Amino acid sequence: MAQSNFDRRRINGPEESFQPTFEDDDDETRWKPGNPRRGRGARDIRPIFLTAGLINQANGSAYIETEKTKIACAVYGPRQSKSTTYNEKGRLNVEVKFSPFSCTRRRVPIRDAEDRSVAVQIQQALVPAVRLELLPKSTIDIFITIIENDGIEGCIAAGSVAASAALADAGIEMLGLVASCSAAVVGKEIWLDPTEEEGKASSGTLILAGMPALGTITSVWQSGSMTPADGIKCMEACQERYTDIHAVIAQSLLENAQNNT
């Protein structure tokens, strides 16, 4: 019987392989600035797929996918703080990392200003909801990996939702689940959950985070140019929609709890 030439020193690829597909910049079906929104209405958001308890090694975890935005989140803690000073309240740390292949142009695998900016916004959205006063001299570490990016506003909103689900999955006491939604002013319309192309074509964007169960807003982040009236319209539109997002989070946690029993 002839011996095979299988090389055990290397990781062999699959027997069948497929050529990767890339987006065509000249595709006439792609949305272009100035055209009406395609595929969904102005107040519609992208479909959300959310699952909790994905990473076994973490205390809590979640994975969220909204079409071309894909994010994985892991929570570790609470664990004793390394600081020598006593703190009456715990500390919530958020670290965001973009995968090198997450964007159209390959990113250098080094944390930059954009990573820190996204992490700060997600942390501000979550801190009011977590009962850190019950965790003196403790830290909770949240690690968010952006696998695919289709607009920074969507990454912040989806990252906040995934982190909220992961904190609940870890059994950390919270005042309520945090839901987040983004909006953009495109022409004279308010478009919810803008993609990267829609965000670039807008005059201003707004990201709203809060606890719908308590009717509380935890964070508002606005960038670009918009009138106060447009800002209020964006917040009202986000508040109407993030109640549905809250239901998605609660359903994913319920399904995960039922699967673990």
Side-chain angles (χ1 to χ4, degrees):
M1 183 176 179
Q3 295 183 352
S4 62
N5 296 325
F6 185 78
D7 190 352
R8 300 184 180 278
R9 295 173 297 177
R10 300 184 180 182
I11 300 176
N12 291 270
E15 294 181 359
E16 296 183 2
S17 60
F18 302 91
Q19 184 176 358
T21 58
F22 301 95
E23 290 188 355
D24 188 2
D25 294 335
D26 297 330
D27 190 358
E28 295 181 356
T29 62
R30 294 181 64 184
W31 180 84
K32 297 179 181 179
N35 294 342
R37 197 175 202 183
R38 303 191 63 177
R40 52 192 171 114
R43 300 299 175 95
D44 293 336
I45 62 175
R46 290 169 284 186
I48 299 175
F49 171 78
L50 177 65
T51 180
L54 189 68
I55 304 172
N56 296 329
Q57 295 83 356
N59 296 100
S61 60
Y63 170 80
I64 188 170
E65 183 174 317
T66 60
E67 291 187 351
K68 293 183 180 180
T69 298
K70 302 176 179 65
I71 297 174
C73 176
V75 173
Y76 297 90
R79 47 194 176 188
Q80 186 175 357
S81 176
K82 296 180 181 179
S83 176
T84 56
T85 58
Y86 177 78
N87 296 317
E88 295 183 356
K89 297 181 64 175
R91 182 179 178 85
L92 184 69
N93 299 321
V94 178
E95 181 176 321
V96 175
K97 183 177 181 181
F98 285 82
S99 299
F101 50 82
S102 62
C103 304
T104 306
R105 177 172 294 183
R106 183 176 176 86
R107 294 179 66 102
V108 179
I110 300 175
R111 293 193 67 195
D112 55 15
E114 188 174 34
D115 296 5
R116 297 185 182 92
S117 175
V118 174
V120 168
Q121 295 182 51
I122 294 175
Q123 183 188 36
Q124 290 180 352
L126 296 173
V127 165
V130 182
R131 299 201 62 185
L132 296 175
E133 69 275 8
L134 302 179
L135 304 169
K137 204 180 179 182
S138 301
T139 60
I140 301 171
D141 297 314
I142 301 176
F143 296 94
I144 297 174
T145 302
I146 298 176
I147 302 171
E148 188 172 358
N149 169 23
D150 188 23
I152 198 67
E153 295 83 11
C155 286
I156 295 170
S160 301
V161 170
S164 176
L167 287 169
D169 181 54
I172 296 171
E173 189 166 347
M174 304 169 66
L175 296 173
L177 295 172
V178 175
S180 183
C181 185
S182 59
V185 179
V186 182
K188 297 182 179 180
E189 293 185 327
I190 305 297
W191 289 7
L192 290 181
D193 193 18
T195 62
E196 184 175 13
E197 292 177 344
E198 293 169 351
K200 290 180 179 178
S202 67
S203 58
T205 59
L206 184 141
I207 305 169
L208 181 75
M211 293 177 282
L214 301 179
T216 304
I217 295 175
T218 59
S219 174
V220 179
W221 192 283
Q222 185 262 328
S223 62
S225 174
M226 67 172 63
T227 63
D230 286 338
I232 294 174
K233 290 180 181 178
C234 287
M235 288 191 287
E236 290 176 348
C238 289
Q239 281 184 295
E240 292 176 0
R241 188 55 65 184
Y242 77 4
T243 304
D244 299 332
I245 299 173
H246 179 271
V248 173
I249 304 172
Q251 182 64 29
S252 67
L253 293 171
L254 178 61
E255 292 177 355
N256 182 57
Q258 292 174 344
N259 293 334
N260 293 333
T261 56

